[in-house]
Amino acid sequence: MAIIQFPKDFLWGAATAAYQIEGAHDKDGRGTSIWDTFSRIPGKVKNGDNGDIACDSYNRYEQDIALLKGLGVGAYRFSAAWPRIFPNGTGEINRAGLDYYHRLVDGLLAKGIEPYCTLYHWDLPQALQDRGGWNNRETIDAFTAYCEPMFKEFGGKIKHWFTINEPWCVSFLSNYIGAHAPGNRDLQLATNVAHHLLVAHGSAVRKFRELGIEGKIGYAPNVTWIEPYSSRQEDIDASRRATGWFVEWFLDPVFKGEYPEFLVEWFAGKGVTVPILEGDMEIITQPLDFVGINYYTGNVGRYQKDEGLLDCENIDEGYEKTDIDWFIYPRGFYKVLTYIHERYGNVPIYITENGACFNDEPVDGRVRDERRIDYLKRHLTQLERAIASGVPVSGYFTWSLMDNFEWAEGYSKRFGLVHVDYNTLKRTPKDSYYWYKHIARTNWFEV
Ligand code: BGC
């Protein structure tokens, strides 16, 4: 038995995102998002599910704040839905949308819970997609124009902001692999999207500073760690590409002002270039107050000619998997955090997402999700190792507060500490909720 102890003042939190929990898709003037459209295309989302109702958190936010309070967390990371604020992406602002987030934020503050707000967690207004979405540079200006009133309205009240959640998913997963909205399958287009997202991020940060908003700002890329299968150079190179597609591609431009040459060359070999215009890199490299890191899984990678985009094959070494089929790879959490620290220096880090899909259901009113507790223990143990090694991590948000709309998987995959019955919308805290409550209160746990 050992005690894993976290530093004094370490922040414990839980995370969600608007489209995944809010529902109320047509209430109070909300516009249509690309996920409303995508989820209506047959075959795109499992069981034809959509976020029309989701967890109905828009109407039940008080209940959800009470769950956060019961959990004892110091912070809640949620996202604002752009289509609630600007139903058409740009133009006229929707007061009712702003009012909803005031109710939410006031409710959190009244309970002593700090709001951490993500400005873009994937629900692009459809009106902008109709004009090319993130492939069109006008969306960069539209994003900045959406952020500005958000900053002015909530500045000082919301003190921690994230511009964009998981730019890899928004670009490559959604526009090259095509699994998420809008579902394109075009590498050049996806590369354009990735670049425009980074410019949009930088542009929003610049606006935040110009306005002199009280508070801090960063973004939240998702990372992984692909360990080379062997010490053969070709395996080392292949796994470096596979990790770099997530890490260097989305952090080098922000922290070093350039794209990683080894990947740019690789993409050039596929006939793809990054559409950098004059001034873009200066916009992207705005100094940040922190970076949010999302980590779920990692793996072992081996060189295999023509395997995927990067000639890197995922090797199944028999690691356990979660119910979404992702390898449980806690060691990668430590590896990638220490790597980020080495490569980008002392930028403060929040773990903005980490958690597991396990589909346990209530039995006699109780959800015994030991596997989630085990996942969390193993990852938090690696996180503590990283902190002990000098990685400046100030807080951890688990994904997710409650089961919710898991994108292309619909309601078939559950990541919550709280179970949601999608027929009745009843919330039932799982065993992991009570386990997490202990650590949020005491800062330590036993392994
Ligand atoms: C996203 C969440 C998602 C979770 C599990 C992250 O990629 O930010 O919205 O639910 O992972 O897939």
Side-chain angles (χ1 to χ4, degrees), residues 10-13 333 351 354-355 376 380 383 394-398 436:
F10 192 78
L11 180 73
W12 296 98
F333 198 19
I351 305 306
N354 174 244
L376 293 174
L380 287 170
L383 176 60
S394 332
Y396 172 95
F397 293 79
T398 195
Y436 196 70

Side-chain angles (χ1 to χ4, degrees), residues 244-303:
W245 196 24
F246 293 81
V247 178
E248 280 91 334
W249 193 279
F250 292 98
L251 281 91
D252 275 19
V254 172
F255 294 105
K256 293 180 177 288
E258 59 194 18
Y259 278 92
E261 204 43 50
F262 68 101
L263 278 174
V264 169
E265 275 170 21
W266 187 265
F267 275 55
K270 312 271 171 201
V272 167
T273 49
V274 185
I276 304 173
L277 298 191
E278 211 187 314
D280 280 0
M281 297 318 285
E282 288 70 41
I283 298 174
I284 294 174
T285 9
Q286 301 299 309
L288 298 185
D289 298 308
F290 49 73
V291 60
I293 294 294
N294 295 359
Y295 178 89
Y296 288 90
T297 184
N299 202 10
V300 172
R302 183 165 66 188
Y303 172 73

Side-chain angles (χ1 to χ4, degrees), residues 17 20 121-122 165-166 169 294 296 324 326 353 399 404 406-407 415:
Q20 295 180 274
H121 200 128
W122 308 358
N165 181 67
E166 303 197 347
C169 292
N294 295 359
Y296 288 90
I324 198 168
W326 299 349
E353 286 180 33
W399 185 271
N404 56 49
E406 179 49 33
W407 307 114
F415 277 82

